[in-house]
């Protein structure tokens, strides 16, 4: 069996660079959105009224109990149909909304990761020493002020290494978006492999590409873990 690594790399590398731009775009936007969603879910569970806490709890269980791929596919294929059906009940017109694969992918990943990270933040908030809350109240702060000025910032700081790990996972999970035709690295590679028949070479190179993309982030996460640990001990 002959391998054509040089030829495959020459043609596939520019294609992977194009796909990298899509991966970075999805990763950055999804990270910002899932951090926002996670913060809202965590605060709602900790400080919200009981009905809201129950709703968030059920929502989180549903999201964390189903695969990210299923959620992405559901958002892209099912949500537009449900929207068109509900709209038809009020307007009499059945028209699908225009949703791009990238938008659906970002929404799916943001919601999925938001549910997981929301639990991380909620747990970090709960584990903050209650004495700090009592001290804040003794100084005249309201419960809301104590939460947002004292407890929440510390919880976020303590969770930084975990956020880094989820960011690393997010980069790799962008590959599932090939299921809804997002032109990311895996889809680009699959298209090239089907045309060139360099199956072994193509998928090996994309695996190495993901590895080279993940290694710097992995080192950054370990660096943040060390810095956070030092800050806690000081």
């Amino acid at each position: 069996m002959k391998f054509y690594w040089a030829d495959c790399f020459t043609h596939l590398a520019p294609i992977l660079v194009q796909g990298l731009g899509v991966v970075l775009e999805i990763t950055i936007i999804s990270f910002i959105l899932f951090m926002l969603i996670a913060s809202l879910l965590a605060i709602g569970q900790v400080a919200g009224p009981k009905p809201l806490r129950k709703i968030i709890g059920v929502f989180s269980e549903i999201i964390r109990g189903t695969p990210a791929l299923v959620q992405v596919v559901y958002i892209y294929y099912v949500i537009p149909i449900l929207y068109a059906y509900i709209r038809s009940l009020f307007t009499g017109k059945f028209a699908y909304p225009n949703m791009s694969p990238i938008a659906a992918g970002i929404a799916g990943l943001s919601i999925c990761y938001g549910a997981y990270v929301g639990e991380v933040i909620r747990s970090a908030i709960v584990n903050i020493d209650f004495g700090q809350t009592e001290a804040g109240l003794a100084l005249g702060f309201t419960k809301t002020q104590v939460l947002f000025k004292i407890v929440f910032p510390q919880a976020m700081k303590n969770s930084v290494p975990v956020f880094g790990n989820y960011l690393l996972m997010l980069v790799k999970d962008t590959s599932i978006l090939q299921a809804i035709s997002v032109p990311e690295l895996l889809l680009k590679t699959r298209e090239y492999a089907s045309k060139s028949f360099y199956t072994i070479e193509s998928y090996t190179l994309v695996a190495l590409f993901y590895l080279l993309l993940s290694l710097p982030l992995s080192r950054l996460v370990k660096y943040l873990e060390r810095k956070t640990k030092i800050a806690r001990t000081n």
Side-chain angles (χ1 to χ4, degrees), residues 132 136 141-154:
Q132 298 194 38
F141 290 108
T142 64
K143 289 185 177 180
T144 302
Q145 289 174 326
V146 169
L147 174 62
F148 284 101
K149 292 185 177 182
I150 299 176
V151 177
F152 184 72
Q154 290 188 66

Side-chain angles (χ1 to χ4, degrees), residues 31-47:
F31 180 77
I32 294 171
L33 289 178
F34 88 61
M35 287 299 299
L36 176 61
I37 293 171
S39 298
L40 293 175
L41 291 177
I43 292 171
Q45 282 189 304
V46 172

